[in-house]
Amino acid sequence: MAKQPLKGTARLRAAFMNSIQGARDIWNGEEAFRLEVGLLVISVPLAIWLGDDLFQTAVLIAVVLLLLIVEILNSAIEAVVDRIGSERHELSRMAKDFGSLAVLIAAALAGLVWIAALLDRLFV
């Protein structure tokens, strides 16, 4: 007999606990994630200072949060690929490289937005 899926608040609680465990796992296992959290901690007060209004401040913080989200997804891809096997395979390399590229693009986006806000603050 199959186990009945959780419903309602029990399902929400289980999902929340899984998310907390995921946060612990990525914090303990991924140095890049820890560095990006440090960047977020630094960026929040800087965004408050740099942003001309609430929207610009939110965008400055949001692009750093987006970078964290992409890093988490990249780590998930790497974990799945590593779970499949340790032998070298072109598709495994591609999957990991695509995830890494996504992190690079998210970092470039964050950099672009922050540079634009800084230049706007200094020269406009």
Side-chain angles (χ1 to χ4, degrees):
M1 189 166 189
K3 183 178 175 184
Q4 293 286 40
L6 297 174
K7 295 185 185 224
T9 57
R11 181 173 185 228
L12 291 175
R13 184 181 187 290
F16 178 77
M17 295 310 293
N18 290 339
S19 297
I20 295 299
Q21 186 58 52
R24 285 186 191 122
D25 291 340
I26 198 163
W27 181 264
N28 292 328
E30 294 292 335
E31 183 178 3
F33 179 79
R34 292 190 300 271
L35 291 171
E36 290 158 359
V37 168
L39 181 66
L40 177 65
V41 168
I42 292 167
S43 72
V44 170
L46 285 176
I48 292 168
W49 170 77
L50 187 58
D52 285 336
D53 54 28
L54 188 58
F55 181 76
Q56 191 175 46
T57 300
V59 169
L60 289 168
I61 295 168
V63 293
V64 179
L65 287 171
L66 176 65
L67 177 59
L68 279 172
I69 292 166
V70 175
E71 183 67 51
I72 292 165
L73 294 173
N74 180 47
S75 296
I77 291 167
E78 289 178 352
V80 169
V81 169
D82 290 346
R83 167 63 177 91
I84 291 170
S86 60
E87 70 279 355
R88 297 190 62 81
H89 192 281
E90 185 64 10
L91 292 175
S92 296
R93 181 202 59 79
M94 289 172 61
K96 287 185 169 191
D97 288 353
F98 293 163
S100 180
L101 175 61
V103 172
L104 178 64
I105 292 170
L109 174 64
L112 176 70
V113 169
W114 275 84
I115 289 169
L118 185 60
L119 291 175
D120 191 51
R121 170 69 102 149
L122 294 175
F123 299 111
V124 175

